[in-house]
Amino acid sequence: MNSFKSISSQVLSILITFFISFAGAVTASGQNFIKITDTNNPIVTDFLSGGYFGTSWIDIDNDRKLDLFVNRKAVYKNLGGGNFTVLETAMGNQLPNLGNSWSDYNNDGFIDCFVVSTGGPYSFLYRNEGGGIMTKINTGEIGDSNYNTGWGCAWADYDNDGNNDLLIVAANAFGVVNHSNRLYHNNGKGSFSRVNMPGLTDTLAPFTVATWTDYDQDGDMDIFIGTGPGGSVSRDYLYRNMLTETGTANIVRLNLSPLSTDLHDGQVWNLIDYDNDTDLDAFITNYSGVPNMLYRNNNGIYERMTSDQAGSIVSDPGNYLTNLWGDFDNDGDLDCFVTRDLNQQCRYYDNNGNGSFTRKDSLAMVLNQGTNFGATAGDYDNNGTLDLFVTGTTASKGLYRNDLNNGNKWINIRCTGGAPVSGMSNKSAIGTKVKVKAVINGIPVWQYREVLAQNSFNSMNMLNVHFGLGNASVIDSLVIIWPRGLREAFTNVQPNAFYDANEGGGIVSGISEGSNIIPGEFRLYQNYPNPFNPTTTIGYELKSNSYVSLSVYNVLGKKVAELVNSKQSGGKYEVEFESGNLSSGIYIYKLSAGNYSESRRMMLIK
């Protein structure tokens, strides 16, 4: 904030602040978070109960619109235009689970989910079948729900074989949990094997939330686990992966002061580059007894920041849970949002760009009354800004749309790994590093992001990578480092755009709601709603002018409807299909355009 030298300026500032507060405005640094209150939106009206559960923005049906998952409740399909509907066929009413983590574990192009609970048969892997249908896996060790109790879970490819593995973190003595962590190796054919990793899977502790991250940027995924018992302090469990150093994915406990020697009541670790020097700094939320802690990385040497250096982000008291990082004002640096338990309001810290943060107390999600738990950030309305959903009770939960109006630029990148092709990275691109360089306010600035499947309290942000770019006119350099080592670099990339990055295939313009950008590939989307009665919408994209055929067939292969049979220009299209006199059942719709052909199935229920 600017300092005011004269008394009259101070008085004017106070009056302006009072007026804004009185008027109910929620603008800060150009942000304007609006709490969604439309009672036609099930996200607003659905009943929630219990505590400490998470949430995630994910694209469950590959239609380029972020859907919302809320533990214990539902997947809310994004219909566009700010509208959502409950996806009845996907993980509805799962009872009292806590954590969730999403990854395309079988590399089939559809994102899957694991949910975990501290008690009862509520910890399960759900396989995404497409069409909004999620199948609960009950077989094998991964399907033993009573055995796999825990507090949190997280996916990552810890051995760099192209398949994402799963860690279940077990909060010993919480609920019925009386065992150590579970590490499951993904065998690549839909099955998992439990791995014994000394120090990680044979230790009893109140493990809470796990964050896989390549903290030392050596090309393998390390693991930081908050280990807060909730009321006392101890050392957290931080681990380094020795894969790069030894050729074997041994995970050993880290002994690095002050990160792993300070005492915490740790909940969530995030490794982020808050000072834009391209190395990873660290932040941990503490539940009680000690304040939150921010560690600046000075070329591998970590320094714990004081309030004089960083502001009240490291001194404000509270019972903290989530810490979540994103550039919410698109100015080119990462801001921080945190939740608090026991009816303590959330906190928001704006990054000043000089290593310090200013707490903002007039934003809608901060003014909201009541306890909050998990939170997730993602651009659900495809306008280039990060929106928020925060879990809590029915009264305290909230969907907050970010109506930023400061003119700052941005870029949004969806990364897709090349698996199951041999030698390529996992399909969800978890562990991918993305760096951008742009001139902001006349100064060249590098920014850094990682694609992660757990970076909030029992929650995860969207997998898409988002950068704010301030007043930059162009992105001078865009560098993508894939988990299995491929490095791709691009120059003169235009901002204010969505891009698809495919491993080994470069970047192409993506497409967003209301955009006229030509897609970079042909694509057929899953219909919605699905199941349907009597009408559903089928979307597709054309990367070039093509002769297009779109038809519907029954399961015997007989054509029952022809929806498109004409030449069309490159772009995005949607066609409505009405079932008419067709009977209930499974139908196949097929798109042919040039040399491209793809089919999907849909279900009619009458």
Side-chain angles (χ1 to χ4, degrees), residues 373-391:
F373 314 120
T376 180
D379 184 3
Y380 80 84
D381 52 359
N382 287 342
N383 70 344
T385 63
L386 291 176
D387 312 294
L388 274 173
F389 179 78
V390 188
T391 65

Side-chain angles (χ1 to χ4, degrees), residues 69 71-72 91 93-100 113-126 136-138 142-150 153 176:
F69 172 68
N71 273 91
R72 305 182 176 213
M91 306 167 64
N93 296 313
Q94 306 146 64
L95 302 174
N97 53 45
L98 298 176
N100 72 92
C113 182
F114 193 88
V115 296
V116 67
S117 172
T118 56
Y122 311 132
S123 300
F124 283 107
L125 173 63
Y126 288 85
K136 183 188 294 183
I137 304 302
N138 293 296
I142 199 73
D144 188 344
S145 184
N146 285 308
Y147 183 73
N148 289 325
T149 53
C153 55
V176 299

Side-chain angles (χ1 to χ4, degrees), residues 265-313:
D265 193 355
Q267 302 301 306
V268 180
W269 282 93
N270 262 307
L271 280 293
I272 35 81
D273 182 18
Y274 79 91
D275 53 359
N276 288 341
D277 63 356
T278 69
D279 57 21
L280 287 175
D281 313 294
F283 187 81
I284 176 71
T285 38
N286 288 300
Y287 189 78
S288 61
V290 290
N292 298 330
M293 297 178 185
L294 176 67
Y295 299 89
R296 186 174 63 199
N297 186 347
N298 300 313
N299 296 317
I301 299 175
Y302 286 86
E303 176 188 2
R304 181 177 163 186
M305 295 291 98
T306 67
S307 57
D308 288 339
Q309 294 168 305
S312 65
I313 190 172

Side-chain angles (χ1 to χ4, degrees), residues 152-279:
C153 55
W155 294 98
D157 183 6
Y158 79 92
D159 58 351
N160 275 355
D161 66 353
N163 303 300
N164 280 322
D165 313 293
L166 180 70
L167 177 65
I168 301 171
V169 286
N172 185 54
F174 282 74
V176 299
V177 182
N178 59 359
H179 57 78
S180 57
N181 300 322
R182 313 288 198 207
L183 177 61
Y184 285 102
H185 179 261
N186 186 341
N187 299 320
K189 296 182 179 180
S191 68
F192 294 81
S193 299
R194 186 179 170 196
V195 176
N196 178 36
M197 193 69 68
L200 176 64
T201 62
D202 59 1
T203 302
L204 295 177
F207 294 106
T208 306
V209 177
T211 303
W212 288 101
T213 177
D214 187 3
Y215 91 96
D216 51 3
Q217 299 184 56
D218 66 350
D220 52 40
M221 297 296 279
D222 312 297
I223 185 76
F224 282 37
I225 308 179
T227 320
S232 60
V233 296
S234 63
R235 289 179 58 192
D236 276 349
Y237 283 77
L238 315 182
Y239 299 88
R240 183 180 184 184
N241 192 336
M242 302 303 293
L243 176 62
T244 300
E245 289 77 10
T246 67
T248 302
N250 288 322
I251 298 175
V252 299
R253 193 168 181 187
L254 188 65
N255 185 24
L256 179 61
S257 177
L259 278 183
S260 60
T261 57
D262 278 352
L263 299 181
H264 306 111
D265 193 355
Q267 302 301 306
V268 180
W269 282 93
N270 262 307
L271 280 293
I272 35 81
D273 182 18
Y274 79 91
D275 53 359
N276 288 341
D277 63 356
T278 69
D279 57 21

Side-chain angles (χ1 to χ4, degrees), residues 110 122 249 379 415 524:
F110 293 102
Y122 311 132
D379 184 3
C415 297
L524 177 64

